[in-house]
Amino acid sequence: MKRFKFFYTALLLSIVSCGPLSYTMDVEMRKASISGLDLSRKTFSVVYVDNGNAADSLFAASMSEGFAQKLESEYFDGNRVIGIYRIDSLPGAVYSDRDTLLNILMDVGSDVVFMMESPWLGDGVASAPVKVMTGGKIAPDSTYISEVSVPFSVRIDVYDSMNQADSVFSFSGRSTVRPVAYTDGQDSSGILVNKGLAAIGEPARNIGSRLADSFVSTWASESYTLIYYESSAWIDAASSAVEYKWTEAIDRWITLLDTSNLQRRSCAEYNIALACYMMGEYDLALEWLDRSDKDCPISLSGSLRHRINTRK
């Protein structure tokens, strides 16, 4: 639809104009997460504190895994690229301390480190065992299930080495996790609670995924303007951009730089700057925009420069 609209507009305008033409395209742009942190184009590590308690350790490890997988699906197309690390709990340690997290970040070698402090798990309460149902009918064997309610609280400390604030951001929350205990119907409440704690991994993994929701990007539609001329070379380049083939568009615009017409060269350089911005190459985008301004300043330069500087 966008491609057809572009060619139709270009055809009409080329009949009446031989100067530069413009085409405005709407692009969904990645924005900061609801946590306020902009984590795009950065690498992450997840570190959890192990206090030695079996249930706490299982909860922390599983939560960290679910947290990392959600971020991988959002930022890395599901590729398993986020390192998960375990550290032993130390008496009196302050894990939200900037220097502590900076040292950990340097050890793991990522841009951002998420520190999962030891979770607090309250006393579990087991519900009365219920006979397992299969296909709407009671199963022929003697299996029962009991839902074990366990209150918990968690705290996540985040240090982003590329954030200008150069400080630690902390987030906390509390709720109740409900693992399931399988039984023959004869187990005591204490045994059911212990079985539930032993099965806390899967619900903790889901909790980690939900916690990561606060750190995934938000999206907003923004309008950007391309410049082109009434020739097939310019229209082909703009068409590549409209289809979000930014590398291909840059290659096409570069072939248009070999001209003594400063206005045309400046327009191609502006377009290349826009493409670099879309690809997250902000310093390179500014370099191309500087070249455009030097050759022949155009009215669109100021707004693009502001957007680039805002995202750096």
Side-chain angles (χ1 to χ4, degrees), residues 215-237:
F215 301 98
V216 302
S217 298
T218 57
W219 296 84
S221 179
E222 295 182 357
S223 296
Y224 292 86
T225 302
L226 298 169
I227 304 173
Y228 66 99
Y229 286 83
E230 53 180 90
S231 75
S232 59
W234 280 89
I235 291 176
D236 287 345

Side-chain angles (χ1 to χ4, degrees), residues 181-193:
Y182 287 88
T183 174
D184 61 3
Q186 303 301 314
D187 290 330
S188 67
S189 177
I191 292 177
L192 291 175
V193 169

Side-chain angles (χ1 to χ4, degrees), residues 35-300:
S35 71
L37 297 174
D38 186 352
L39 301 174
S40 59
R41 305 173 307 281
K42 299 175 183 178
T43 57
F44 312 140
S45 294
V46 177
V47 180
Y48 69 91
V49 180
D50 189 341
N51 64 11
N53 177 276
D56 292 354
S57 299
L58 177 58
F59 187 98
S62 301
M63 180 179 67
S64 298
E65 183 178 349
F67 186 90
Q69 288 181 355
K70 181 58 176 287
L71 294 184
E72 287 167 339
S73 67
E74 170 66 20
Y75 292 103
F76 306 104
D77 295 326
N79 295 317
R80 302 300 297 271
V81 298
I82 299 177
I84 302 176
Y85 304 89
R86 183 192 69 84
I87 61 174
D88 292 327
S89 177
L90 296 175
V94 180
Y95 299 103
S96 60
D97 180 75
R98 174 193 173 277
D99 290 340
T100 298
L101 289 179
L102 178 58
N103 289 333
I104 292 175
L105 183 141
M106 294 177 66
D107 287 340
V108 299
S110 60
D111 299 323
V112 182
V113 60
F114 294 92
M115 170 63 72
M116 306 295 192
E117 297 197 25
S118 293
W120 171 83
L121 300 182
D123 294 332
V125 177
S127 65
V130 177
K131 191 84 170 182
V132 173
M133 304 290 288
T134 303
K137 298 180 179 180
I138 296 178
D141 58 22
S142 59
T143 302
Y144 291 77
I145 59 172
S146 171
E147 185 179 77
V148 180
S149 299
V150 184
F152 72 90
S153 64
V154 293
R155 178 184 172 97
I156 303 175
D157 304 310
V158 187
Y159 181 71
D160 179 357
S161 63
M162 301 175 70
N163 189 294
Q164 293 181 351
D166 191 29
S167 60
V168 176
F169 300 87
S170 296
F171 306 86
S172 59
R174 58 190 307 121
S175 187
T176 300
V177 64
R178 294 180 172 84
V180 171
Y182 287 88
T183 174
D184 61 3
Q186 303 301 314
D187 290 330
S188 67
S189 177
I191 292 177
L192 291 175
V193 169
N194 288 335
K195 286 185 174 181
L197 291 174
I200 206 168
E202 186 58 34
R205 189 174 293 106
N206 294 333
I207 289 168
S209 180
R210 294 202 301 271
L211 289 173
D213 286 338
S214 296
F215 301 98
V216 302
S217 298
T218 57
W219 296 84
S221 179
E222 295 182 357
S223 296
Y224 292 86
T225 302
L226 298 169
I227 304 173
Y228 66 99
Y229 286 83
E230 53 180 90
S231 75
S232 59
W234 280 89
I235 291 176
D236 287 345
S239 177
S240 295
V242 168
E243 296 178 350
Y244 308 119
K245 299 177 180 178
W246 297 112
T247 300
E248 179 180 292
I250 289 175
D251 291 340
R252 293 180 183 274
W253 282 317
I254 286 178
T255 65
L256 301 173
L257 297 176
D258 187 16
T259 176
S260 59
N261 186 316
L262 293 182
Q263 184 186 59
R264 288 191 173 223
R265 190 163 69 197
S266 176
C267 290
E269 290 164 342
Y270 162 84
N271 286 341
I272 294 174
L274 175 61
C276 290
Y277 168 73
M278 291 296 180
M279 297 169 65
E281 300 289 343
Y282 300 135
D283 290 334
L284 189 58
L286 289 174
E287 291 179 17
W288 280 104
L289 203 55
D290 289 342
R291 294 177 61 171
S292 174
D293 288 346
K294 182 178 179 180
D295 281 339
C296 180
I298 58 177
S299 60
L300 296 170

